[in-house]
């Protein structure tokens, strides 16, 4: 019998997760601010010697194939772009959580980070290809963080996979959120939302974490962003990069068409771009790690 | 005795007994599998999208990615093992092409992949004798070259044969 997680236990789990580094936390705040520019990111990174060193190492890694080394942090950040800086900062301070083996979903270590990166890229592509009035960089960051709750509840879901899959295939309308709630008392979006509060994430990111499977429930002012990540998440799963047993076992909210206009051809372009961008991004982020 | 692992948009073939040809976690992607009884060759392509017209450069670099370029490329690859260049005598099987729950037309890429593949096979006079397409879960495929046996798996489900 699987044990339900009480509210107190959830708080304990959340408290056991390391806090974000000051730089990562501030970067997320900056990204969420619609009026920010790259200079704000540059100023922040300059004040963090470790992050500066990491960024310089990555920009000069083989993945980017630059002929001349970049030695100035300003140029490195302009070249890489804000989203890569956010990926580096989050990967550095919450890497353990993102790399965790999700045994409760029969998903290997590293799968969650791959899924999150692909969702991030796909969410950004959804925004740019559809021309929706959403910040593409914010969609990327929100995509990176959307499934963080899975890392919190996965251990408690061990042994539930067969029954979850069976329920979804036999009970009308039952999806993986229902399965999580049935087995441990709440789903990964609620667990993730608790962590978002503990990490004091900007409200728009917390809303994405809480509502990315049911965007209609998000606050109106953030709903378009939540729909973008909803689609990005589905696109990552369709591309074959979910997190094990729950992949493809969620509902598409067809009301996305009120916020985001994409047809079959644009969707195909987005899927292709996600594969191309992911190869570049993943090799750049790991190639620097290997030298450590 | 080896493993040929095919990623998204890859294709490959083997006639080495003991080899396994594998592809992981097909979502909306579709695997086309050719089994040639005469030369005992197995070929597979992991196809992501129906139509290469959206990006010709990509299809030149990775023909296995699109249905319309993957099938000719796989057939050409299999001629190196003595198979017929138009697939004569080959057994065809298809799997993958899943959709998310409550999908709409736009998001039915799995279905569009399967339809495009069938149309192209048709133009070669080929058709699948077995298929496991659609539904809402990902599939991993392992083909044993010695036995010509195709095993499918998905988390939470017992393995099954195609």
């Amino acid at each position: 019998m699987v044990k339900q997680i009480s509210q107190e236990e959830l708080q304990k789990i959340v408290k056991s997760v390391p806090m974000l580094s000051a730089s990562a936390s501030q970067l997320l705040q900056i990204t969420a601010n619609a009026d920010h520019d790259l200079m704000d990111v540059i100023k922040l990174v300059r004040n963090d010697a470790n992050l500066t060193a990491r960024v310089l190492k990555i920009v000069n890694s083989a993945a980017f194939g630059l002929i001349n080394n970049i030695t100035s942090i300003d140029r490195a950040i302009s070249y890489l772009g804000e989203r890569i800086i956010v990926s580096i900062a989050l990967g550095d301070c919450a890497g353990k959580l993102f790399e965790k083996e999700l045994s409760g979903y029969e998903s290997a270590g590293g799968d969650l980070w791959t899924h999150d990166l692909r969702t991030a890229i796909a969410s950004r592509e959804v925004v740019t290809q559809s021309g929706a009035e959403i910040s593409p960089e914010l969609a990327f960051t929100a995509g990176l963080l959307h499934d963080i709750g899975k890392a919190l509840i996965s251990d408690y879901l061990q042994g539930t996979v067969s029954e979850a899959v069976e329920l979804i295939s036999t009970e009308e309308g039952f999806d993986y959120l229902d399965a999580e709630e049935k087995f441990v008392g709440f789903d990964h979006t609620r667990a993730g939302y608790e962590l978002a509060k503990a990490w004091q994430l900007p409200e728009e990111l917390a809303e994405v974490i809480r509502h990315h499977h049911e965007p209609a429930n998000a606050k109106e002012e953030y709903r378009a962003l939540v729909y973008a990540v909803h689609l990005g998440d589905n696109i990552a799963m369709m591309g074959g990069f979910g997190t094990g047993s729950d992949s493809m076992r969620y509902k598409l909210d067809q009301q996305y068409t009120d916020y985001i206009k994409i047809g079959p051809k644009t969707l195909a372009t987005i899927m292709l771009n996600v594969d191309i961008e992911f190869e570049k991004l993943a090799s750049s982020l790991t190639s620097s790690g290997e030298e450590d | 005795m080896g493993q040929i692992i095919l990623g998204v948009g890859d294709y490959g073939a083997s006639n080495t007994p003991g080899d396994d040809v594998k592809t992981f976690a097909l979502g909306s992607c579709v695997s086309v599998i050719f089994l040639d009884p005469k030369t005992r060759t197995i070929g597979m392509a992991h196809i992501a999208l129906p139509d290469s017209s959206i990006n010709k450069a990509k299809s030149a670099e990775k023909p296995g990615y699109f249905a319309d370029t993957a099938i000719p490329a796989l057939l050409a690859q299999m001629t190196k093992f003595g198979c017929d260049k138009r697939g004569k005598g080959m057994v065809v099987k298809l799997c993958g092409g899943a959709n998310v729950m409550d999908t709409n037309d736009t998001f039915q890429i799995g279905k569009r992949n399967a339809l495009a593949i069938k149309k192209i096979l048709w133009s070669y006079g080929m058709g699948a004798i077995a298929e496991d397409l659609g539904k809402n879960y990902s599939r991993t495929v392992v083909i044993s070259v010695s036995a010509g046996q195709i095993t499918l798996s998905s988390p939470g489900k017992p393995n099954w044969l195609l």
Side-chain angles (χ1 to χ4, degrees), chain A residues 80-136:
Chain A
L80 293 173
E82 181 180 317
R83 62 190 180 283
I84 297 191
I85 309 302
V86 172
S87 307
I88 296 167
L90 271 179
D92 278 357
C93 68
K96 266 199 181 136
L97 209 54
F98 284 113
E99 293 288 342
K100 189 179 156 77
E101 178 190 350
L102 301 183
S103 48
Y105 300 85
E106 295 188 2
S107 186
D111 284 357
L112 177 63
W113 182 238
T114 300
H115 170 68
D116 288 341
L117 268 181
R118 284 188 168 259
T119 301
I121 298 165
S123 304
R124 184 175 185 277
E125 281 288 319
V126 163
V127 170
T128 53
Q129 296 285 339
S130 69
E133 284 187 26
I134 305 163
S135 153

Side-chain angles (χ1 to χ4, degrees), chain A residues 106 161-162 165 174 231 234 238 240 244-245 248-252 254 256 262-265 267-268 271-272 275, chain B residues 8 25 27-29 49 54-55 58 65-66 98-104 106-107 109 112 136-137 155-157:
Chain A
E106 295 188 2
V161 164
S162 300
V165 163
F174 199 91
L231 298 188
N234 278 299
M238 286 163 63
S245 56
M248 321 269 298
R249 289 187 165 103
Y250 297 98
K251 294 167 197 156
L252 180 75
Q254 299 189 16
Y256 75 81
I262 46 171
K265 210 169 170 186
L267 183 59
M271 294 199 69
L272 175 62
D275 274 337
Chain B
V8 181
S28 59
C29 295
L49 291 173
I54 62 161
N55 190 324
K58 178 74 180 182
Y65 201 90
F66 303 98
N99 295 300
V100 292
M101 298 167 78
D102 292 354
T103 185
N104 64 359
T106 300
F107 272 78
I109 287 195
R112 284 199 291 283
N136 61 339
Y137 45 82
K157 292 168 75 72

Side-chain angles (χ1 to χ4, degrees), chain A:
Chain A
M1 184 63 201
V2 183
K3 200 169 136 284
Q4 300 264 313
I5 308 173
S6 67
Q7 196 58 40
E8 295 77 56
E9 279 170 298
L10 178 59
Q11 291 310 325
K12 255 192 224 164
I13 298 166
V14 166
K15 283 208 183 93
S16 72
V17 174
M19 295 308 284
L20 289 179
S21 68
S23 300
S25 189
Q26 286 168 36
L27 260 177
L28 297 179
Q29 298 288 348
I30 290 172
T31 312
N33 178 355
D35 298 327
H36 79 280
D37 62 30
L38 202 60
M39 205 52 217
D40 299 319
V41 176
I42 291 171
K43 276 187 209 150
L44 187 133
V45 177
R46 269 195 207 138
N47 288 326
D48 183 330
N50 286 330
L51 190 53
T52 299
R54 289 269 292 140
V55 169
L56 286 173
K57 202 168 181 183
I58 283 173
V59 77
N60 292 311
S61 71
F64 289 100
L66 296 174
I67 298 164
N68 297 312
N69 269 7
I70 291 184
T71 50
S72 127
I73 189 66
D74 300 24
R75 278 191 56 213
I77 294 171
S78 307
Y79 182 80
L80 293 173
E82 181 180 317
R83 62 190 180 283
I84 297 191
I85 309 302
V86 172
S87 307
I88 296 167
L90 271 179
D92 278 357
C93 68
K96 266 199 181 136
L97 209 54
F98 284 113
E99 293 288 342
K100 189 179 156 77
E101 178 190 350
L102 301 183
S103 48
Y105 300 85
E106 295 188 2
S107 186
D111 284 357
L112 177 63
W113 182 238
T114 300
H115 170 68
D116 288 341
L117 268 181
R118 284 188 168 259
T119 301
I121 298 165
S123 304
R124 184 175 185 277
E125 281 288 319
V126 163
V127 170
T128 53
Q129 296 285 339
S130 69
E133 284 187 26
I134 305 163
S135 153
E137 302 299 315
L138 182 57
F140 182 95
T141 303
L144 267 187
L145 290 162
H146 78 289
D147 259 351
I148 199 67
K150 286 184 188 169
L152 305 185
I153 64 170
S154 168
D155 289 351
Y156 298 83
L157 284 168
Q158 280 184 39
T160 64
V161 164
S162 300
E163 201 183 332
V165 163
E166 179 66 20
L167 281 167
I168 292 163
S169 67
T170 52
E171 285 197 23
E172 181 66 28
F174 199 91
D175 70 0
Y176 222 94
L177 290 183
D178 298 318
E180 289 170 339
E181 192 170 333
K182 179 183 163 70
F183 293 124
V184 296
F186 44 82
D187 62 52
H188 70 271
T189 69
R190 247 187 74 198
Y193 186 66
E194 292 302 319
L195 183 60
K197 284 195 282 186
W199 275 357
Q200 298 180 312
L201 295 184
E203 194 177 14
E204 36 281 80
L205 295 175
E207 283 286 297
V208 168
I209 291 170
R210 180 68 181 97
H211 298 297
H212 66 273
H213 288 297
E214 292 159 332
N217 296 336
K219 286 186 183 161
E220 173 63 37
E221 65 228 83
Y222 308 129
R223 209 172 288 159
L225 171 70
V226 180
Y227 269 109
V229 178
H230 175 64
L231 298 188
D233 183 22
N234 278 299
I235 289 166
M237 292 191 281
M238 286 163 63
F241 295 89
T243 54
S245 56
D246 68 331
S247 192
M248 321 269 298
R249 289 187 165 103
Y250 297 98
K251 294 167 197 156
L252 180 75
D253 177 349
Q254 299 189 16
Q255 292 305 313
Y256 75 81
T257 52
D258 293 347
Y259 297 85
I260 290 160
K261 308 273 180 244
I262 46 171
K265 210 169 170 186
T266 310
L267 183 59
T269 303
I270 292 171
M271 294 199 69
L272 175 62
N273 289 353
V274 171
D275 274 337
I276 295 170
E277 285 297 312
F278 176 78
E279 290 307 319
K280 275 198 250 170
L281 188 54
S283 65
S284 62
L285 292 176
T286 51
S287 62
S288 70
E290 280 162 12
E291 296 154 27
D292 285 342

Side-chain angles (χ1 to χ4, degrees), chain B residues 27-86:
Chain B
S28 59
C29 295
V30 173
S31 265
V32 174
I33 301 158
F34 291 155
L35 306 101
D36 186 33
K38 204 177 87 196
T39 61
R40 302 191 71 79
T41 306
I42 304 288
M44 176 159 67
H46 181 143
I47 296 168
L49 291 173
D51 182 5
S52 66
S53 67
I54 62 161
N55 190 324
K56 285 285 171 200
K58 178 74 180 182
S59 68
E61 174 207 328
K62 222 176 174 71
Y65 201 90
F66 303 98
D68 56 334
T69 46
I71 290 168
L74 179 58
L75 284 171
Q77 173 77 10
M78 290 181 75
T79 60
K80 294 178 189 159
F81 297 86
C83 304
D84 181 76
K85 66 180 179 194
R86 289 195 57 85

